[in-house]
């Protein structure tokens, strides 16, 4: 018990330190709006002894604003002939970044130094987009200007509407998203020169503005309804809801609670540091590929159930469990790893504590279900019971498995009326700004090189070619 409370204290002290220590490194402006942080300098070193030859060498240690120090191995191969081995990149920093910070041990997430809980409570999605892209919260004039720039680009080239006709009606909307976002590069040639800051900005605005239109059209196409064009007097979230749910035959009334929840979902998914899809965007962009192609690559990566596909998987899991009476059996299946069953919406590579986004989402989930009169929704009851049981179970406690953001987002989205196949699409709509901000940061970093990992080769050594008649 004593150990538990002292470790709790350590965690609390760490959290305090993290929140306080938010002063960024000295910065200078690049030609674009991007922020160019000062290159971190080595301030210490790790001494390494190579037991193969007794050789001693040192590896510099670099310090960021907050977070663990990093060992700089950039010269390791050149000087020592060694690669490092880190499948899944659990200990590898792939870049220097000043956009988002996560401390998974204590459940902290900040964008440009602002806590996600504060942004979700006090801000709106457009403001968060500006913050991620430009580094600061906008003043009133900057906000108006930014919103104008985004809404200016909400429409799609009319030819793109015809592109949809080539898909089967039962195509997964994520398949449509990957294709149509990639296809934007075939339509907007005037914003594909990545070396021109103005074109980079226009491409960024176009992507943020057009993804909701593309997503809503994917939905409309799948259900055989006509496309609804954007209405720029509405907010980003309102416009998306209208394009998704309105039909020409009726007036569409926007429920303010639903619009607020939608905006919050967008804020909570806007960026998440160097996750799989963001690293994919950076990797694709490192070759000089155009931004539309890079974001399409990010969408493809997000699709997987271990990443953005998890909210869809949560709903499928809840449907499979069916009722609270079956939870015990399901948890047993998870714990015995039967058929590799996992509790979807639980666990995270980085958070080994409650995902701060999940706390906000949990509250929002209750607000939306109350407003829609779905408080007794059996799915919510099942999810709450599952959460309670899992949080008190030794397996989940010892594995540090807490609910992640996707555990609740699926329930809200279903209550709003989205089919499960659209859940990951909504994640992609929200994350586009994060991908774009990280892509821009990479392109504007003068030390940027093509991403090219190494490997530990375990295949055959060289061998003579085997002619066909000698093969088994
Ligand atoms: N249910 C049951 N056990 C789990 C779960 C889970 N959801 N997640 C991890 N574990 C267990 C693993 O079986 C493993 O156990 P072991 O050490 O006894 O073998 C241990 O925890 C570590 O698991 P890893 O797969 O190594 O953890 P990793 O950090 O690679 O995985 C991930 C993170 C992929 C998110 C994982 O927790 C998972 O699959 N969760 C369910 C899917 C999900 O909700 N994804 C959404 C992530 S959030 C997002 O993308 C927005």
């Amino acid at each position: 018990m004593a150990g538990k409370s002292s470790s709790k204290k350590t965690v609390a002290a760490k959290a305090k330190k993290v929140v306080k220590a938010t002063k960024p490194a000295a910065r200078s402006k690049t030609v674009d709006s991007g922020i160019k942080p000062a290159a971190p300098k080595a301030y210490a070193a790790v001494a390494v002894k190579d037991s193969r030859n007794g050789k001693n060498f040192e590896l510099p240690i670099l310090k960021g604003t907050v977070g663990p120090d990093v060992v700089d191995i950039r010269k390791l191969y050149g000087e020592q002939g060694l690669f490092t081995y880190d499948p899944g990149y659990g200990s590898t920093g792939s870049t220097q970044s000043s956009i988002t910070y996560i401390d998974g041990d204590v459940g902290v997430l900040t964008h440009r130094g602002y806590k996600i809980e504060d942004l979700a409570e006090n801000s709106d999605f457009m403001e968060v987009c500006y913050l991620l892209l430009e580094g600061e919260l906008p003043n009133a004039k900057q906000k108006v200007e930014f919103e104008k720039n985004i809404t200016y680009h909400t429409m799609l080239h009319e030819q793109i509407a015809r592109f949809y006709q080539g898909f089967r009606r039962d195509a997964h909307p994520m398949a449509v998203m990957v294709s149509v976002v990639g296809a934007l590069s075939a339509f907007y040639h005037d914003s594909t020169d990545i070396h021109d800051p103005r074109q980079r900005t226009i491409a960024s605005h176009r992507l943020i503005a057009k993804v909701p239109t593309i997503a809503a059209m994917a939905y409309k196409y799948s259900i055989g309804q006509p496309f609804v064009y954007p209405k720029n007097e509405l907010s980003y979230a309102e416009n998306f809801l209208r394009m998704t749910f309105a039909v020409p035959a009726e007036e569409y009334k926007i429920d303010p609670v639903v619009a607020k929840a939608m905006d919050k979902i967008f804020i909570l998914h806007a960026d998440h540091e160097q996750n799989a899809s963001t690293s994919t965007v950076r990797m694709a962009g490192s070759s000089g590929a155009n931004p539309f192609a890079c974001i399409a690559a990010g969408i493809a990566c997000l699709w997987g159930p271990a990443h953005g596909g998890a909210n869809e998987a949560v709903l499928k899991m809840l449907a499979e469990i069916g009722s609270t009476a079956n939870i015990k059996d399901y948890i047993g299946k998870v714990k015995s790893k039967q058929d590799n069953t996992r509790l979807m919406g639980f666990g995270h590579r980085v958070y080994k504590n409650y995902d701060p986004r999940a706390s906000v989402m949990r509250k929002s989930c209750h607000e939306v279900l109350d407003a829609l009169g779905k408080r007794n929704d059996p799915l919510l009851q099942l999810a709450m019971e599952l959460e309670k049981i899992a949080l008190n179970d030794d397996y989940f406690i010892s594995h540090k498995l807490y609910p992640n953001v996707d555990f609740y987002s699926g329930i809200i989205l279903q209550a709003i009326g989205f089919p499960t196949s659209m859940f990951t699409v909504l994640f992609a709509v929200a994350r586009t700004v994060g991908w774009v901000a990280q892509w821009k940061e990479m392109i504007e970093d003068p030390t940027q090189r093509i991403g090219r990992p190494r490997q530990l080769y375990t295949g055959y050594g060289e061998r003579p070619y085997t002619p066909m008649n000698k093969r088994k």
Side-chain angles (χ1 to χ4, degrees), residues 306-307 310 337 342-346 348-349 395 399 404 406:
H307 193 6
K337 301 193 164 100
R342 288 195 168 196
L343 197 54
M344 300 313 284
F346 265 68
H348 199 277
R349 168 61 61 80
Y395 175 88
H399 283 78
N404 58 52
D406 288 324

Side-chain angles (χ1 to χ4, degrees), residues 237-238 241 253-265 363-373 412 416:
E238 289 169 342
L241 288 167
K253 284 206 180 68
I254 295 161
D255 182 330
V257 176
V258 170
K260 196 169 164 226
M262 193 75 253
D263 193 74
K264 219 168 252 188
I265 289 176
K363 193 167 157 247
S364 180
C365 185
H366 285 278
E367 281 166 11
V368 171
L369 294 184
D370 277 349
L372 298 176
I412 307 185
I416 294 176

Side-chain angles (χ1 to χ4, degrees), residues 153-156 184 188 205-214:
H153 291 293
T154 50
M155 281 176 59
L156 290 173
L184 294 178
Y188 301 102
H205 292 171
R206 278 190 169 137
L207 277 157
I208 295 163
K210 291 182 197 306
V211 281
T213 315
I214 296 169

Side-chain angles (χ1 to χ4, degrees), residues 135-381:
E136 296 295 342
L137 287 167
N139 62 29
K141 190 166 161 251
Q142 287 166 331
K143 183 148 188 241
V144 169
E145 183 72 13
F146 182 69
E147 284 181 343
K148 201 174 111 211
N149 286 338
I150 297 297
T151 50
Y152 181 73
H153 291 293
T154 50
M155 281 176 59
L156 290 173
H157 191 293
E158 197 55 23
Q159 198 101 343
I160 297 179
R162 265 175 262 160
F163 194 61
Y164 281 75
Q165 317 301 322
F167 291 104
R168 286 169 49 137
R169 293 271 176 193
D170 62 355
H172 196 290
M174 280 299 275
V176 177
M177 288 294 286
V178 174
S179 319
V180 179
V181 172
L184 294 178
S185 43
F187 288 87
Y188 301 102
H189 301 134
D190 58 344
S191 54
T192 52
D193 178 359
I194 62 161
H195 303 293
D196 177 346
R198 174 92 189 119
Q199 292 202 28
R200 288 201 297 271
T201 300
I202 294 173
S204 307
H205 292 171
R206 278 190 169 137
L207 277 157
I208 295 163
K210 291 182 197 306
V211 281
T213 315
I214 296 169
M217 283 167 70
Y219 174 64
K220 286 298 194 194
Y221 184 73
S222 74
I223 54 169
Q225 286 185 2
F227 297 142
V228 176
Y229 284 80
K231 203 170 187 183
N232 289 348
E233 72 200 40
L234 299 175
S235 75
Y236 193 86
E238 289 169 342
N239 190 31
F240 178 61
L241 288 167
R242 186 179 162 276
M243 287 191 292
T244 307
F245 295 118
V247 287
E250 282 173 20
E251 193 58 36
Y252 178 70
K253 284 206 180 68
I254 295 161
D255 182 330
V257 176
V258 170
K260 196 169 164 226
M262 193 75 253
D263 193 74
K264 219 168 252 188
I265 289 176
F266 287 153
I267 293 176
L268 294 177
H269 287 88
D271 190 49
H272 211 230
E273 206 225 70
Q274 308 311 319
N275 57 82
S277 56
T278 301
S279 299
T280 302
V281 169
R282 280 185 177 261
M283 180 69 97
S286 75
S287 73
N290 76 71
F292 304 107
C294 296
I295 303 306
I299 296 172
C301 178
L302 186 77
W303 195 355
H307 193 6
N311 48 16
E312 188 175 341
V314 169
L315 268 273
K316 282 188 183 146
M317 175 189 74
L318 292 176
E320 189 190 330
I321 298 173
S323 86
T324 47
N326 302 328
I327 292 180
K328 217 171 146 217
D329 281 354
Y330 194 84
I331 296 265
K333 219 166 121 182
V334 169
K335 284 160 67 172
S336 62
K337 301 193 164 100
Q338 193 185 320
D339 307 325
N340 286 325
T341 309
R342 288 195 168 196
L343 197 54
M344 300 313 284
F346 265 68
H348 199 277
R349 168 61 61 80
V350 178
Y351 294 117
K352 300 304 170 196
N353 203 314
Y354 218 93
D355 177 343
R357 301 168 302 169
S359 317
V360 180
M361 200 66 96
R362 189 179 197 274
K363 193 167 157 247
S364 180
C365 185
H366 285 278
E367 281 166 11
V368 171
L369 294 184
D370 277 349
L372 298 176
K374 295 184 177 175
R375 159 68 64 196
N376 295 322
D377 184 82
L379 213 63
L380 180 70
Q381 304 298 328

